[in-house]
Amino acid sequence: MPMSAVAAAGAPTPTLIYLPFRAMAETTRMLFAYGRIEYKDEAVWGRVFYDRRQNMDFPWGKTPVLQVPGYRTIAQSGALSRYAAKCAGIYPEDPIEGALSDSIYELGQELCTINPLVNCFVGQQFENVRKDYFSSVLPLALMQLEVELTRAQAASGGTPFFGGFSPTHGDFNVFHHLDNAMLLEPDVLHNRHHLEVWYATMRKIPQLKEYLEKRPTLNGIGEDPGLEEETVSGSHSEAHRAKLGSKMDFGTSRSPKNRSRPDE
């Protein structure tokens, strides 16, 4: 049996370390949320990130990484997502089903240009990459995803997800990248009926819905992108938003010219 959330509950609490972006660690966060797996989320930025990378704290010199007490640091977003999926009990036990879910996951990885597009790029670079992504990259991927989703549903008797009756890590990774794309083009799925229904079904998953409602908001896309976190002051129910860069110690300015790529 895959590692379940119950089994994972007795394990040491892992720490997820990443830049303050909604990018390569987001699928892992969603999977942890789905499985209600406790973890710590640590943002690194600027001089702190640079010094820790120079100190070889991050395997391969990149984040995200996952630190589990008593074990070596785990690197690479795909490895982190698969670990989280196994902790949540949704990584397929059958090798064929696992490979099929992996193939969906990897297609999501091929859509990753959307991550720096919404988190980093500004000005003319933003406009150029946006035009290419939405005219060349995404349309072909959406066509392929629509075909594979209908095949998966036909093979499983009409179940709603790529992975069958319940979502797997592949579903979550594709969801993340399409969700980021919809920050720029909200109607990107309007002519892809099966994908549109699948996306809406994913958003209704209680654990994912709760996570999406609570996570920081990504604002300033294309101009001064940054995550903003909703906070409540005192007894007042009215919330305000504060730039994470000013609230958390990243060691440097959050100006776009200083922002690193999400895959670093």
Side-chain angles (χ1 to χ4, degrees), residues 45-263:
W45 182 242
R47 188 71 194 186
V48 173
F49 171 72
Y50 175 82
D51 289 344
R52 293 184 67 177
R53 182 167 64 176
Q54 291 297 106
N55 196 43
M56 303 295 289
D57 284 0
F58 310 132
W60 329 131
K62 297 181 179 182
T63 60
V65 300
L66 193 71
Q67 293 181 337
V68 182
Y71 296 89
R72 290 157 47 207
T73 298
I74 306 167
Q76 300 290 3
S77 60
L80 272 57
S81 293
R82 289 173 176 87
Y83 168 84
K86 292 172 184 177
C87 288
I90 62 171
Y91 192 93
E93 181 181 29
D94 180 82
I96 297 298
E97 293 301 324
L100 287 169
S101 293
D102 279 343
S103 72
I104 299 300
Y105 182 94
E106 295 302 329
L107 190 280
Q109 296 293 75
E110 294 179 13
L111 300 178
C112 69
T113 300
I114 192 62
N115 292 323
L117 181 58
V118 298
N119 286 277
C120 302
F121 297 160
V122 298
Q124 194 58 51
Q125 183 184 32
F126 171 81
E127 296 298 336
N128 292 343
V129 175
R130 176 177 182 169
K131 180 179 180 180
D132 178 69
Y133 188 80
F134 285 97
S135 64
S136 301
V137 176
L138 195 56
L140 176 59
L142 292 179
M143 180 186 70
Q144 294 169 332
L145 283 167
E146 181 89 350
V147 170
E148 289 306 313
L149 179 59
T150 56
R151 287 174 176 170
Q153 291 174 339
S156 59
T159 55
F161 304 105
F162 285 99
F165 286 102
S166 61
T168 68
H169 60 300
D171 289 273
F172 282 96
N173 201 38
V174 171
F175 175 87
H176 155 61
H177 288 91
L178 294 186
D179 193 56
N180 264 4
M182 293 172 76
L183 293 172
L184 297 177
E185 300 288 344
D187 297 327
V188 74
L189 299 180
H190 77 279
N191 62 342
R192 299 292 178 187
H193 173 70
H194 290 87
L195 277 177
E196 192 171 34
V197 172
W198 165 85
Y199 178 85
T201 303
M202 288 288 294
R203 287 196 70 94
K204 292 178 183 177
I205 295 172
Q207 304 96 306
L208 182 57
K209 183 174 184 289
E210 180 182 4
Y211 171 76
L212 295 176
E213 290 173 349
K214 291 183 177 180
R215 70 178 176 178
T217 302
L218 179 55
N219 288 328
I221 297 173
E223 298 178 355
D224 182 16
L227 292 173
E228 297 182 0
E229 187 172 58
E230 185 175 273
T231 60
V232 180
S233 177
S235 61
H236 297 288
S237 60
E238 183 177 351
H240 68 277
R241 295 189 181 276
K243 284 279 188 178
L244 286 181
S246 60
K247 185 178 181 182
M248 301 175 70
D249 182 15
F250 298 125
T252 189
S253 166
R254 293 184 63 260
S255 169
K257 66 182 180 181
N258 293 323
R259 293 178 73 80
S260 303
R261 285 286 299 268
D263 57 356

